[in-house]
Amino acid sequence: MKKMTEGNIIKHLISYALPLIFGNIFQLTYNAVDSIVIGKFAGEDAVAAVAASNPVMTIIILGVSGMCIGASVLMSEFYGSGDTENLKKEVATTLIAGIVFSLAVFGIGMPLAKPILGWMNVPEDILGMATVYLRIIFVGFLFTFLYNAMSSALRSTGDSKTPVKFLILSSILNAGLDVLFICGGKMGVVGAGLATVIAEGFSAILCFVYVYRHIPLLQIKRSEFRVDPELLKKTLRHGSVTALQQSCQPIGKVLIQSCMNAQGISVIAAFNAVNRIDDFACIPEQSISHGMMTCVAQNRGAGKQSRIKETLRKGLMLEVLYWACICAATLLLKTPVMKLFAPEESVEMIQAGVDYLTLMAFFYILPGLTNGMQGYFRGMGKMKVTLAATIIQVSLRVVFVYILVPRIGMTGAAYACMIGWTLMLLYEIPYYFYCEKREKRKGAEHEFSIQK
């Protein structure tokens, strides 16, 4: 556990962000390896079946993730203020609500898995496999929630390292089970699904065992295991807005991809490659943002306004410093990295990706700043602001992709990103100063009333 209400803020943010960066990069790398194993040993149909199920899984996981982020903000506030009673109530409330939600997903998802995939126009050839895989994932969805909930609880106390360790261990187990079930047992998508569920169960159990052995503050006794109605309302209010915000990104990507699909094979392939590069490039920015969220929420709970402002200032400074590094790295490595994704003869694809990355190297500063502002607003409990900002960014990015890409190619996608992020900042920064001005006015009115 780590109190971010005291000590050096930059050190807190770096030590919090580094494990998240490592864990997320490991997860992205593992996902790529997982796809390779399924493709090599289960065949193209199996890969397609798993891919067809992913949108359904993503939407449900976003719901869980949003709820856990909302809960994490409240937990961080209670931890920062030293309010152990409400911290435990929030943990218990989150666990009970999440368990009910997970059971509902299982109960509804099992019979509706095939109709849902049918509505998504999944080809008949792979519909059976996709249905089996999705139903297995529904069985293990409870484990997915429990891991996310306990990880959020640990992170709210400043411990971002332990959840990442368990994530890495479960990913290694998943990879081993993939090899055992798919390569050795020839179980296809059933093996892939079982490997995922077992690994998720393992990570959830590890989190609970760790908490109940080492973190008394988060241990919930049987008599404390009940729902607090007021905390449930706050958690759902924060969580639903965050889930909606996170769902904007995949919806936007689907719309953008449809535009790219009309530009030819080279552009489609290049866009797929640069998307992966963007994911890796933005992970540290997002991780710094998570650290800022926790630090702001803890200090908000402790009533330390000066440290909240310092967290925003120093967090944005870290985002800018990281941008200087990723800008240089992108400009230096853009061509060799694109060649990793493309056959040597795909000159057009490589050039399209290089042109895109040349611009994005400079534009990466913008998501750094927007992520920093998002982390601050989440920590302050202003989830509606983060939702509005994301809607502005995603919607304008989609609009300008459709305007620019058909006219100037892949570089149009980079300019569309820049426009979306810039207008997002033009909403967030004035809103921040508006809130500051309002707080100063309230403080002055309060002081005047006391003097009177």
Side-chain angles (χ1 to χ4, degrees):
M1 294 189 296
K2 183 179 293 183
K3 278 269 191 183
M4 293 184 170
T5 54
E6 300 169 356
N8 188 294
I9 286 177
I10 287 184
K11 287 183 179 179
H12 285 319
L13 294 177
I14 292 174
S15 62
Y16 188 98
L18 282 176
L20 292 180
I21 293 168
F22 181 73
N24 285 326
I25 289 176
F26 183 90
Q27 186 68 40
L28 284 174
T29 304
Y30 161 74
N31 287 342
V33 172
D34 191 46
S35 297
I36 291 170
V37 171
I38 295 171
K40 292 287 185 184
F41 297 98
E44 187 176 290
D45 285 354
V47 175
V50 172
S53 305
N54 279 337
V56 181
M57 293 162 52
T58 299
I59 290 170
I60 298 171
I61 290 171
L62 284 173
V64 167
S65 176
M67 180 179 177
C68 290
I69 289 174
S72 180
V73 170
L74 294 172
M75 291 176 196
S76 297
E77 285 183 35
F78 295 140
Y79 180 68
S81 64
D83 189 348
T84 305
E85 182 181 355
N86 272 322
L87 175 59
K88 288 192 172 188
K89 283 182 180 179
E90 176 60 25
V91 174
T93 297
T94 303
L95 286 174
I96 294 170
I99 289 170
V100 171
F101 176 70
S102 300
L103 294 175
V105 167
F106 172 76
I108 296 170
M110 291 297 280
L112 291 182
K114 189 171 183 178
I116 289 170
L117 293 170
W119 295 333
M120 293 171 59
N121 295 319
V122 173
E124 193 67 34
D125 292 349
I126 62 169
L127 183 58
M129 281 195 292
T131 301
V132 169
Y133 180 79
L134 189 56
R135 283 174 174 163
I136 293 172
I137 296 302
F138 283 145
V139 171
F141 185 70
L142 177 61
F143 298 134
T144 303
F145 163 74
L146 291 174
Y147 168 76
N148 276 279
M150 296 312 293
S151 294
S152 294
L154 286 168
R155 288 179 182 134
S156 71
T157 65
D159 182 2
S160 62
K161 294 179 182 178
T162 303
V164 169
K165 290 177 183 176
F166 297 155
L167 173 65
I168 291 171
L169 287 174
S170 67
S171 296
I172 293 171
L173 174 62
N174 198 344
L177 292 174
D178 274 341
V179 173
L180 178 64
F181 294 155
I182 299 172
C183 304
K186 308 296 182 185
M187 296 172 66
V189 295
V190 173
L194 287 175
T196 299
V197 169
I198 293 170
E200 287 174 346
F202 178 69
S203 62
I205 290 168
L206 285 177
C207 275
F208 272 94
V209 169
Y210 179 82
V211 165
Y212 277 87
R213 282 190 177 181
H214 303 287
I215 315 293
L217 196 63
L218 299 177
Q219 294 170 8
I220 310 300
K221 297 176 183 176
R222 187 176 298 178
S223 60
E224 298 170 324
F225 200 68
R226 59 182 180 272
V227 172
D228 184 295
E230 286 303 313
L231 288 178
L232 179 60
K233 287 180 185 177
K234 289 182 180 179
T235 302
L236 293 177
R237 186 166 63 246
H238 287 348
S240 60
V241 174
T242 305
L244 184 58
Q245 176 201 341
Q246 291 183 315
S247 68
C248 290
Q249 295 291 353
I251 291 170
K253 285 185 176 181
V254 169
L255 295 173
I256 290 169
Q257 187 65 56
S258 67
C259 177
M260 293 298 176
N261 290 345
Q263 309 307 313
I265 293 173
S266 294
V267 171
I268 295 170
F271 188 66
N272 178 65
V274 297
N275 264 338
R276 292 177 183 271
I277 296 166
D278 285 344
D279 286 342
F280 278 98
C282 291
I283 280 173
E285 296 174 341
Q286 294 161 0
S287 300
I288 292 168
S289 172
H290 280 294
M292 291 174 68
M293 179 190 79
T294 301
C295 192
V296 167
Q298 284 194 16
N299 283 287
R300 184 179 171 220
K304 296 188 176 182
Q305 295 299 318
S306 62
R307 282 182 69 85
I308 291 174
K309 292 180 182 179
E310 189 180 357
T311 299
L312 175 61
R313 187 173 66 253
K314 292 186 174 177
L316 292 177
M317 184 182 76
L318 284 177
E319 297 281 18
V320 172
L321 288 173
Y322 167 73
W323 164 74
C325 298
I326 196 61
C327 177
T330 304
L331 292 173
L332 183 65
L333 300 173
K334 58 189 177 182
T335 301
V337 168
M338 279 304 303
K339 287 182 177 178
L340 287 175
F341 287 93
E344 289 184 11
E345 65 272 14
S346 300
V347 177
E348 190 177 344
M349 172 191 168
I350 293 169
Q351 190 57 51
V354 168
D355 291 343
Y356 173 92
L357 291 173
T358 301
L359 291 171
M360 288 300 289
F362 298 100
F363 296 162
Y364 283 141
I365 189 171
L366 296 172
L369 297 176
T370 59
N371 272 299
M373 295 303 297
Q374 293 285 80
Y376 166 80
F377 283 123
R378 281 195 188 122
M380 293 296 291
K382 297 183 181 296
M383 304 301 184
K384 291 181 181 178
V385 177
T386 65
L387 172 61
T390 301
I391 290 173
I392 290 170
Q393 185 264 324
V394 172
S395 58
L396 288 171
R397 181 185 173 192
V398 170
V399 168
F400 279 97
V401 161
Y402 275 84
I403 293 172
L404 297 174
V405 170
R407 292 169 173 77
I408 61 176
M410 277 282 292
T411 54
Y415 284 119
C417 288
M418 180 270 290
I419 292 168
W421 287 323
T422 299
L423 292 173
M424 185 178 183
L425 283 173
L426 289 176
Y427 168 75
E428 289 178 324
I429 293 174
Y431 189 84
Y432 166 77
F433 285 110
Y434 164 75
C435 291
E436 284 289 292
K437 188 176 179 179
R438 188 175 60 183
E439 289 300 316
K440 285 181 181 177
R441 187 168 61 247
K442 284 182 180 178
E445 289 173 354
H446 179 66
E447 186 176 341
F448 177 75
S449 63
I450 293 174
Q451 290 173 354
K452 198 172 178 181

